[in-house]
Every structure is written in structure tokens, then in C-alpha cells.
Amino acid sequence: AEVAASVSYRQAGLPAVSTVSGQRLGEGEWTTPEYWVRQVREPVRFHDALKTATVEQGVSRLLEVGPDPVLTSLAQSGSESLSAAAAVLRKG
């Protein structure tokens, strides 16, 4: 919590879905240290977030940005609505 409080945050420029709640981000939700403490401490609601993105928001393509692309295949197997999912980074 101390480290999270020392970081400056800004509102996301694009619509995003929270893996803390599984729902679309609310105004200012990503901009508080408390949100990021919850992100680290609470269970990840990946399937709920995937459902929100693909079913409720009509997303058909996902891009994974992270050093270890493990969620791309999980997303593809967890959603019949996806036409494509890709990872863009590799470890190292």
C-alpha cells in the first residue's frame, strides 16, 4: 500500500475491464492506490472480465501485453466470441 501510494495514476484513455471486479472500469477506478492494492491481494476474476469484454461489450479481438503470454490461450479457450487473440511480448 505504501508503494502504491507513491505512484502517480491517470485515467485510462481506452475502455478497460477490471480483473478485480470483472466489470468495466468506472471513472477514476484505476487512479487510486486502493484499487492496485486490491489487484494484488484479491482473486483475479479473469473469466468474469473476459465475459464482460466479449459478451457485454462485443469485443472480438484481444491483445495480451505482458512478459509471459499465458492468458492468450486461456482467453481463446474461455470465449466462443473471440475471432483472434494475440500476445505481443516475450520474456527477455
Side-chain angles (χ1 to χ4, degrees), residues 16-17 22-24 46-62 79 81-82:
V17 177
Q23 300 298 312
R24 185 173 174 164
F46 181 75
H47 183 71
D48 294 335
L50 182 62
K51 183 178 175 184
T52 296
T54 58
V55 176
E56 296 176 23
Q57 295 186 301
V59 170
S60 62
R61 293 177 296 277
L62 293 177
S79 175
S81 308
L82 285 179

Side-chain angles (χ1 to χ4, degrees), residues 62-77:
L62 293 177
L63 183 65
E64 181 176 1
V65 180
D68 197 10
V70 297
L71 299 176
T72 298
S73 61
L74 187 60
Q76 289 171 319
S77 66

Side-chain angles (χ1 to χ4, degrees), residues 11-62:
Q11 185 63 35
L14 298 171
V17 177
S18 169
T19 56
V20 172
S21 67
Q23 300 298 312
R24 185 173 174 164
L25 285 173
E27 182 70 29
E29 192 170 358
W30 265 2
T31 61
T32 67
E34 294 80 18
Y35 174 86
W36 293 103
V37 169
R38 288 182 61 209
Q39 179 70 49
V40 171
R41 291 184 174 167
E42 294 181 15
V44 174
R45 299 185 63 178
F46 181 75
H47 183 71
D48 294 335
L50 182 62
K51 183 178 175 184
T52 296
T54 58
V55 176
E56 296 176 23
Q57 295 186 301
V59 170
S60 62
R61 293 177 296 277
L62 293 177

